[in-house]
Amino acid sequence: MKYGIFSDVHGNYTALRAVLDFYQNNGVDNFVCCGDIVGYGPQPLECAETLRGLKKLVAVMGNHDAALVGKMDLKWFNSNAAWAIEFAREQLTPQALDFISRLPEKAETSEFMTVHGSPRKPLTEYLLSEVQFMDNAGKWAVSPCFIGHSHMPLYFREREEGLPETDFIKPLEKIFVDGRLMFNPGSVGQPRDGDTRAACGIYDSEKKYFELHRVFYDIGAVQKMMAGLNMPAILSERLSFGF
Ligand SMILES: [Fe+2]
Ligand SMILES: [Fe+2]
């Protein structure tokens, strides 16, 4: 089975559409979303409704989603992020809010598991270092584990001794799942690794590999929409730089 693995859509529907079109062109119709559907971007409703409509989706709650539905305090967010969460709250229909509020913090199948931040702190930990990965060791059972939150496409591979193997994942790079691995597919809606294209992954559970892809989308159109909504300028400008 091929799964489309993606995270941190953040209300960027133009980017999400491009990623879903990419998946359709590659015969992928099973999906895993590692959280942060809303926040930062101009179309949170369209993103929530599109994901709600996917028949085969495993999704977890991100910290921005949690704040949207009152499961996390807005004081943990900077003013621009908080602005976008309140904007999303005004946009979402009761059905879309209900969909987000029901998302679990962890999801597990026989083939993989997913969580937004980390297994030990699903909503808050930015899992970026080998030591953090090792500290999470006893908290997850099924490999691979898909995470989001940091917006960085990277992987960790457990070793029997010493520090785990970790690296950023380049576009089209294939990483085989031959043990206990975690993957972050990067961010669809607000990449922060200097590549402005939407990031997403494909996991082939039969051939046991994860592959990263980058997909072009119309950044200018999103920025125009954001300007029309008087969204904080920094949220729009950062899309041009991928940070
Ligand atoms: Fe995020
Ligand atoms: Fe997050």
Side-chain angles (χ1 to χ4, degrees):
M1 186 88 77
K2 275 188 177 182
Y3 294 91
I5 315 290
F6 62 91
S7 189
D8 295 273
V9 172
H10 282 301
N12 189 338
Y13 180 65
T14 309
L16 175 63
R17 196 65 266 160
V19 164
L20 292 178
D21 288 347
F22 164 78
Y23 283 140
Q24 192 174 8
N25 293 336
N26 285 276
V28 176
D29 62 358
N30 277 271
F31 305 101
V32 177
C33 172
C34 315
D36 276 357
I37 295 167
V38 304
Y40 300 131
Q43 293 183 288
L45 173 63
E46 289 80 354
C47 293
E49 284 296 277
T50 298
L51 296 187
R52 190 164 77 93
L54 293 178
K55 285 194 193 80
K56 298 175 202 161
L57 170 73
V58 173
V60 289
M61 183 174 281
N63 54 316
H64 289 251
D65 308 319
L68 173 86
V69 297
K71 290 187 176 171
M72 204 169 159
D73 203 305
L74 273 182
K75 75 177 180 195
W76 298 109
F77 295 81
N78 69 47
S79 59
N80 294 322
W83 188 96
I85 290 165
E86 280 175 338
F87 165 77
R89 207 176 277 158
E90 289 164 19
Q91 303 291 313
L92 261 62
T93 58
Q95 293 89 335
L97 278 169
D98 184 60
F99 165 70
I100 302 250
S101 70
R102 287 170 190 271
L103 293 173
E105 288 186 11
K106 279 187 195 181
E108 198 175 291
T109 73
S110 58
E111 293 186 316
F112 59 84
M113 66 166 284
T114 179
V115 67
H116 181 60
S118 74
R120 64 174 174 176
K121 292 180 185 167
L123 291 178
T124 54
E125 183 171 26
Y126 290 89
L127 211 167
L128 288 163
S129 74
E130 290 98 326
V131 170
Q132 285 174 296
F133 176 79
M134 289 170 89
D135 286 346
N136 272 280
K139 303 284 183 187
W140 57 295
V142 186
S143 171
C145 174
F146 302 114
I147 62 172
H149 196 41
S150 71
H151 298 210
M152 294 292 170
L154 46 81
Y155 76 94
F156 295 91
R157 177 185 275 119
E158 204 169 272
R159 285 186 174 133
E160 279 185 21
E161 279 176 30
L163 290 173
E165 176 188 321
T166 181
D167 207 348
F168 292 107
I169 317 174
K170 295 169 208 70
L172 299 180
E173 190 177 352
K174 240 180 214 177
I175 294 164
F176 284 88
V177 177
D178 49 5
R180 278 165 61 77
L181 282 95
M182 271 190 201
F183 295 98
N184 188 324
S187 169
V188 171
Q190 195 196 77
R192 292 180 190 161
D193 62 342
D195 187 333
T196 56
R197 296 172 295 174
C200 64
I202 291 178
Y203 174 55
D204 188 318
S205 63
E206 273 141 41
K207 294 181 182 154
K208 295 271 178 200
Y209 68 80
F210 178 90
E211 190 174 57
L212 190 84
H213 295 269
R214 303 303 290 242
V215 181
F216 283 104
Y217 73 96
D218 192 344
I219 295 172
V222 179
Q223 290 172 322
K224 213 170 172 182
M225 214 181 298
M226 293 172 86
L229 291 162
N230 289 317
M231 297 189 80
I234 181 70
L235 297 182
S236 169
E237 287 162 8
R238 64 189 301 172
L239 297 177
S240 297
F241 301 97
F243 78 95

